Amino acid sequence: MNAPDTRELTLDVSGRVATITYNRPAKLNAMTPEMARLLEEAVAACNDADDVRVVILTGTGKAFCAGSDIALLETYETPWAFRNRTEYCDILRNLRKPSIAAINGYAFGGGLEMAMSCDIRLASDNAKLGAPEIKLGWIGGGGMTAHLAQSIGPSNAALMVMTGEPVTAQQALSWGLVSDVTAPGALMERAREIAGQIAARAPIAAETAKANLKAAFNMPLEQAVAYERDLQTICFATEDAHEGRAAFAEKRAATFAKR
């Protein structure tokens, strides 16, 4: 699988783990339409690659991502053109593989929305997470309020969205917005450790678990349970499930082939 040829967004694959890196540190990795296009290519490549089982997202420099490049928002000819832009958070929500956001610094606006579009969020202890759009006269449009309300509850979400003030990594951890906080130098090691654990599991089951978690937030309880049972049945019929049961009986490590 070839990585997009760009300095501002890179895709690297090591073993079964892909890493997408926002690489525009002078602008705090603020997103441009071109970066959104490259992200779309990277996500499609990861979805299509059977050897990729987990995707890590991170940024270079002092930021994970500071959201959209504000200066470029003036280039949209009409509000309707802005409404129908390629939305980078939608792109990430189309990723079928389990994903980990390694938040290495500022995650503001669309950057926070992208982090929340990942399945697991880790942060360095110097990270700050915020929804500052209200300071500029608008609100987030990539799922900010929905994701925050699901992650940290309506009162904490209101505090972030209505004041625009960022929270520290430790505050985010106490609210459940991130799962772990590490020293900056240990962040990617921790992300790769978790990615390796997931990559060792049955890949169809891992992708199914991702789909099931998404459904759990969008269905009434009875429908969600029924959907989960259907997905369980699909997984149960795979060769990997047979391998898992055989490995358990034989007291050995399972070898999963995504079949």
Side-chain angles (χ1 to χ4, degrees):
M1 181 172 59
N2 296 322
D5 184 18
T6 175
R7 292 180 301 108
E8 295 185 343
L9 189 150
T10 62
L11 172 63
D12 299 295
V13 179
S14 178
R16 295 169 174 172
V17 178
T19 302
I20 296 173
T21 304
Y22 306 121
N23 188 32
R24 199 180 177 219
K27 294 292 185 179
L28 299 179
N29 299 322
M31 292 290 288
T32 66
E34 175 64 8
M35 289 173 72
R37 185 188 69 79
L38 292 166
L39 179 62
E40 190 168 36
E41 289 183 359
V43 166
C46 290
N47 279 341
D48 290 342
D50 282 342
D51 58 323
V52 170
R53 297 188 178 179
V54 187
V55 180
I56 298 171
L57 285 91
T58 194
T60 56
K62 298 187 295 184
F64 174 76
C65 175
S68 297
D69 189 323
I70 302 300
L72 296 180
L73 296 181
E74 297 296 331
T75 63
Y76 292 99
E77 294 183 0
T78 65
W80 192 241
F82 172 73
R83 168 64 179 82
N84 292 297
R85 69 196 182 280
T86 300
E87 171 50 60
Y88 42 81
C89 296
D90 291 344
I91 293 168
L92 282 179
R93 284 190 284 268
N94 288 330
L95 180 63
R96 294 194 299 271
K97 309 298 174 72
S99 57
I100 301 169
I103 306 168
N104 54 296
Y106 302 120
F108 289 164
L112 176 56
E113 290 171 328
M114 286 196 291
M116 291 190 295
S117 297
C118 294
D119 302 305
I120 297 168
R121 291 175 293 281
L122 313 174
S124 59
D125 58 20
N126 62 347
K128 291 188 176 181
L129 300 84
E133 290 91 342
I134 197 167
K135 295 181 178 181
L136 300 174
W138 63 85
I139 62 172
M144 182 69 79
T145 54
H147 281 306
L148 281 177
Q150 288 177 351
S151 297
I152 63 178
S155 179
N156 292 329
L159 184 65
M160 291 187 68
V161 171
M162 293 179 182
T163 69
E165 295 299 325
V167 298
T168 65
Q170 289 296 338
Q171 184 66 70
L173 179 63
S174 71
W175 283 351
L177 186 52
V178 300
S179 296
D180 199 1
V181 173
T182 74
L187 179 64
M188 288 305 295
E189 180 182 356
R190 178 63 173 143
R192 293 187 186 105
E193 177 188 7
I194 295 173
Q197 291 172 338
I198 297 171
R201 309 307 185 223
I204 294 174
E207 292 184 33
T208 302
K210 180 184 177 95
N212 192 40
L213 284 165
K214 183 177 180 179
F217 284 111
N218 292 284
M219 291 182 178
L221 178 60
E222 289 186 5
Q223 292 182 20
V225 171
Y227 182 67
E228 178 177 85
R229 195 154 297 145
D230 290 341
L231 293 179
Q232 180 193 47
T233 302
I234 291 170
C235 289
F236 191 79
T238 63
E239 291 183 22
D240 280 348
H242 288 286
E243 163 64 10
R245 295 191 293 273
F248 178 82
E250 297 164 13
K251 295 182 173 56
R252 61 174 174 82
T255 301
F256 297 116
K258 199 176 182 180
R259 291 196 294 267

